[in-house]
Amino acid sequence: MTSDQDELSVDDAVRAVRTDSRRRQVLRAAATVMQRTGFHQMSMQALADEAGVSVGLIYKYFGGKEDVLLATIISILESFRDQLVPAMETAGADPVERLVAGMRRYIEIVDENIDAVTLTYRESRTLDRAGRDRIKELEVSTSAPLRDVLEDGIAAGLLNDVDVDLMVFDLLLLAHGWALKHWHFGALYSLDEYIRLQIRFVLNTILPAERRDSYAHLVR
């Protein structure tokens, strides 16, 4: 490879990073503005002002408001998809420990993206059918690590034989509750307290009585 090609590759990489950074900047601003005014009342100028960019730059990355909304929702779902497995892998091989690590990280991501999570529930009905279907597919795929670890725990005899599909969506709702009812829970609990209480609630439901002593550090 010539030096000119090396320089071109570096320039392309820099441009790609800058583009990704600008897109994320706009999406963070979009979540803030839509949380404040609602999707229908949001103007592209208000979005540009919040993001500190020009309206023209927004249209460079997005076709319009609907594209911004869809991309904002997808960005939060992709955070769950990309961050759950690494967090669970740090917990080792034990399915219960992995489940707890996944729950903790899921709720932490909700906290880090509280406006976007609330926005997903409030504004997703605005999307066209294709957009709504995309969101549903991503919700299912992002829950796959939790589904897998529940199935592993049941197969190993570490967990009760629960309805895995129902339990997975119960876990997601518990996590999303931190955002949807933050006006209530935020006044009562710190983030860590909320996580520990929800983990204890779940484990007291799905751990067989004879297994609880082994996980006393998680359910105490």
Side-chain angles (χ1 to χ4, degrees):
M1 182 179 290
T2 67
S3 59
D4 287 343
Q5 289 175 317
D6 288 339
E7 290 177 5
L8 182 59
S9 297
V10 171
D11 288 344
D12 289 343
V14 169
R15 279 193 292 271
V17 170
R18 185 178 295 121
T19 297
D20 184 60
S21 177
R22 286 289 180 85
R23 285 187 87 261
R24 286 187 281 110
Q25 180 181 342
V26 171
L27 295 178
R28 286 194 298 268
T32 299
V33 174
M34 284 188 273
Q35 183 72 4
R36 185 168 63 231
T37 68
F39 169 74
H40 295 290
Q41 284 70 44
M42 181 184 73
S43 69
M44 296 301 268
Q45 185 60 59
L47 174 56
D49 292 343
E50 181 70 29
V53 300
S54 68
V55 171
L57 185 138
I58 295 175
Y59 278 112
K60 179 179 178 181
Y61 300 134
F62 305 100
K65 284 172 56 174
E66 290 77 10
D67 285 349
V68 172
L69 173 60
L70 179 59
T72 301
I73 295 173
I74 287 175
S75 69
I76 174 64
L77 292 173
E78 288 179 340
S79 295
F80 294 127
R81 183 195 64 195
D82 297 340
Q83 297 182 42
L84 270 189
V85 171
M88 294 167 72
E89 287 179 345
T90 64
D94 187 296
V96 178
E97 297 284 358
R98 289 170 65 84
L99 175 64
V100 167
M103 285 185 62
R104 173 172 290 279
R105 186 63 195 131
Y106 203 107
I107 300 174
E108 288 173 345
I109 297 170
V110 167
D111 181 67
E112 293 163 7
N113 300 272
I114 235 171
D115 287 346
V117 170
T118 306
L119 185 72
T120 298
Y121 276 87
R122 192 179 71 194
E123 302 290 0
S124 58
R125 64 183 182 276
T126 303
L127 298 170
D128 60 20
R129 181 168 183 174
R132 293 195 302 271
D133 287 345
R134 176 95 181 273
I135 297 305
K136 291 174 184 177
E137 291 169 3
L138 277 172
E139 285 185 344
V140 172
S141 66
T142 57
S143 68
L146 297 175
R147 185 182 306 276
D148 292 344
V149 79
L150 282 169
E151 291 175 346
D152 290 344
I154 292 169
L158 297 174
L159 301 176
N160 291 323
D161 189 11
V162 297
D163 183 318
V164 172
D165 187 63
L166 181 60
M167 180 55 65
V168 165
F169 281 96
D170 283 346
L171 297 179
L172 302 191
L173 288 172
L174 290 176
H176 294 166
W178 178 247
L180 298 176
K181 300 299 180 184
H182 193 262
W183 59 269
H184 177 72
F185 291 128
L188 297 176
Y189 310 115
S190 68
L191 173 63
D192 188 63
E193 288 169 340
Y194 182 83
I195 292 172
R196 286 190 291 107
L197 288 170
Q198 295 292 24
I199 287 172
R200 186 174 70 181
F201 169 73
V202 170
L203 293 186
N204 279 328
T205 301
I206 64 176
L207 275 176
E210 66 272 16
R211 295 284 185 183
R212 292 179 186 174
D213 286 346
S214 301
Y215 299 100
H217 60 293
L218 299 175
V219 298
R220 66 178 181 266

